[in-house]
Amino acid sequence: MKRKGVVQDVKLDTSKPTAIFQASSGRAYTVSVALPGSIITNALTPELKTHLAGRIARALAVFCVDEVVIFDDGQTKPRKAAENHHHQNADDAFTGSLDPNYFLMHILSYLETPPFLRPLLFPLHPDLRSAGSLPSLDMPHHLKSHEWCQYREGITVEQPTEGGESKKPGKRKREAAQSHGTSLVNVGLPQYISVPAVIPQDTRVTVKLPRDADISASCDGPVNGLVVAPSAPREEAGYYWGYSVRAAASLSAVITECIFSDGYDLTVGTSERGMPVSDLARHTTVGGQVPQFNHMLIVFGGIAGLEVAVEADSELQRMGVKEPKELFDYWVNLCPGQGSRTIRTDEAVWLGLMGLRDVVVNKGRR
């Protein structure tokens, strides 16, 4: 018998994850992370190198990082066989030892890509041999075929022939498709998406679907959609839509080659010789209130810190920069009183993004 006024206990089902990302309103601000590829050399085997990259990718995904920059801190000397890896997509050499910068970018790019697109965009490569054993990032744009979202990632496909088969079109058929001004996109649904734009085949794009789009398996023919900027899901609806990956030849290039027209307006460098990150997290420092930002950059050093990156940067040396803290708005210590003599960069990324989370959420301009 149930007693009046007594709330019955409801058993909580914890067998499935419940922390599913919920988009609310658009988000204008971005968070970027920069770190040196030389950290890969600290791992001894290909498997350990891959798992090191995987731990970094997990941190980027968990804390909604929008851009990651891999810079050369002068601590690695790529061999001749790897000098052109940034321009060769089908090289058959494992780059974890040859070119750590490229290797880290390769793994991070692979993991950010929705699983159904990976076989289409990434040829078989020794770098990816152990990538299948890495934990899933499970980001909002890693959608399953039955899941609804107004935005999806996809790849442009061959135009179908009159018989309905998708064969590689000849010159005349390509010209005919272009004359119609449309392209077909595979977004992981039972049907293709038709977009009003002529886009080269095998190009990754972001597609926006009508709210009333029928994506059921019973729907015949392509669904109409629009190609939008990769930033549209974030800016229009507030979705976290993965991270872009950029290479920088030096520490200074991380800042000077910023992909945002107005640059980074809040920069944070990390070092055991900086002020406690808790001071910054409270929004106030000796210099006053931490300002709001549009584009935040957090920079991590390798095993020898950011000091060696400054020494190896000819542009900074020409400018007379002696200390890395001169480059940043804030110079912070992520773990004052650390018990271990060293904090590895992959550990520092987790510590930094957690320690600065409150600043990001409260100071980013919406």
Side-chain angles (χ1 to χ4, degrees), residues 282-295:
R282 286 193 290 267
H283 311 310
T284 56
T285 65
V286 176
Q289 187 79 6
V290 177
Q292 289 189 314
F293 68 88
N294 295 313
H295 305 295

Side-chain angles (χ1 to χ4, degrees), residues 35-39 41 70-78 99-101 248-252 301-314:
L35 64 158
S38 62
I39 63 172
T41 61
I70 308 303
F71 66 91
D72 189 346
D73 63 356
Q75 301 306 295
T76 59
K77 300 296 181 183
D99 189 348
N101 297 323
S250 62
L251 177 57
S252 61
I303 190 170
L306 288 171
E307 287 78 5
V308 295
V310 170
E311 294 174 3
D313 192 321
S314 58

Side-chain angles (χ1 to χ4, degrees), residues 13-36:
D13 181 9
T14 60
S15 62
K16 296 181 180 179
T18 56
I20 299 173
F21 186 93
Q22 299 292 333
S24 52
S25 59
R27 170 168 69 88
Y29 73 83
T30 64
V31 177
S32 299
V33 163
L35 64 158

Side-chain angles (χ1 to χ4, degrees), residues 102-360:
Y102 176 82
F103 175 82
L104 183 53
M105 291 182 61
H106 198 177
I107 298 295
L108 293 179
S109 298
Y110 177 82
L111 293 176
E112 186 278 337
T113 302
F116 86 94
L117 284 177
R118 292 170 186 170
L120 304 174
L121 293 173
F122 291 86
L124 292 175
H125 194 284
D127 285 356
L128 306 175
R129 187 174 296 138
S130 302
S133 65
L134 296 176
S136 170
L137 300 192
D138 206 15
M139 294 186 282
H141 65 301
H142 289 193
L143 294 159
K144 297 178 176 61
S145 60
H146 65 275
E147 294 178 319
W148 164 254
C149 180
Q150 192 174 9
Y151 303 90
R152 297 186 85 97
E153 290 295 288
I155 184 172
T156 52
V157 300
E158 303 163 341
Q159 293 290 334
T161 63
E162 293 182 359
E165 296 181 1
S166 182
K167 297 180 180 179
K168 192 169 184 178
K171 181 178 180 181
R172 290 185 179 180
K173 286 193 176 294
R174 286 197 300 270
E175 291 175 348
Q178 292 176 357
S179 67
H180 287 88
T182 62
S183 299
L184 294 179
V185 184
N186 175 8
V187 296
L189 294 174
Q191 58 282 112
Y192 288 152
I193 307 300
S194 177
V195 297
V198 178
I199 306 171
Q201 184 182 324
D202 297 329
T203 301
R204 178 177 169 177
V205 294
T206 304
V207 173
K208 183 177 182 179
L209 302 175
R211 293 187 180 277
D212 58 351
D214 183 1
I215 63 171
S216 63
S218 60
C219 176
D220 294 329
V223 175
N224 292 326
L226 295 173
V227 170
V228 295
S231 60
R234 168 179 56 83
E235 294 175 345
E236 296 175 1
Y239 284 105
Y240 172 54
W241 211 245
Y243 52 80
S244 62
V245 184
R246 174 167 68 92
S250 62
L251 177 57
S252 61
V254 171
I255 300 173
T256 60
E257 297 175 3
C258 175
I259 61 175
F260 306 108
S261 59
D262 49 350
Y264 302 112
D265 53 355
L266 181 62
T267 56
V268 179
T270 59
S271 169
E272 62 184 20
R273 290 165 286 280
M275 69 178 185
V277 68
S278 57
D279 289 355
L280 194 61
R282 286 193 290 267
H283 311 310
T284 56
T285 65
V286 176
Q289 187 79 6
V290 177
Q292 289 189 314
F293 68 88
N294 295 313
H295 305 295
M296 181 180 187
L297 172 67
I298 310 168
V299 183
F300 300 89
I303 190 170
L306 288 171
E307 287 78 5
V308 295
V310 170
E311 294 174 3
D313 192 321
S314 58
E315 182 64 21
L316 294 180
Q317 293 302 304
R318 186 186 64 81
M319 295 171 60
V321 176
K322 301 298 182 184
E323 298 289 339
K325 64 181 179 180
E326 300 174 38
L327 303 173
F328 306 104
D329 298 318
Y330 298 99
W331 186 236
V332 301
N333 182 352
L334 300 176
C335 188
Q338 63 194 60
S340 175
R341 184 174 299 174
T342 59
I343 294 178
R344 298 177 183 272
T345 303
D346 57 305
E347 298 167 340
V349 171
W350 281 93
L351 287 170
L353 292 174
M354 184 69 255
L356 294 168
R357 181 65 175 168
D358 198 46
V359 174
V360 170

Side-chain angles (χ1 to χ4, degrees), residues 39-52:
I39 63 172
I40 293 296
T41 61
N42 297 327
L44 299 180
T45 67
E47 292 75 18
L48 290 176
K49 293 178 189 294
T50 301
H51 280 262
L52 172 58

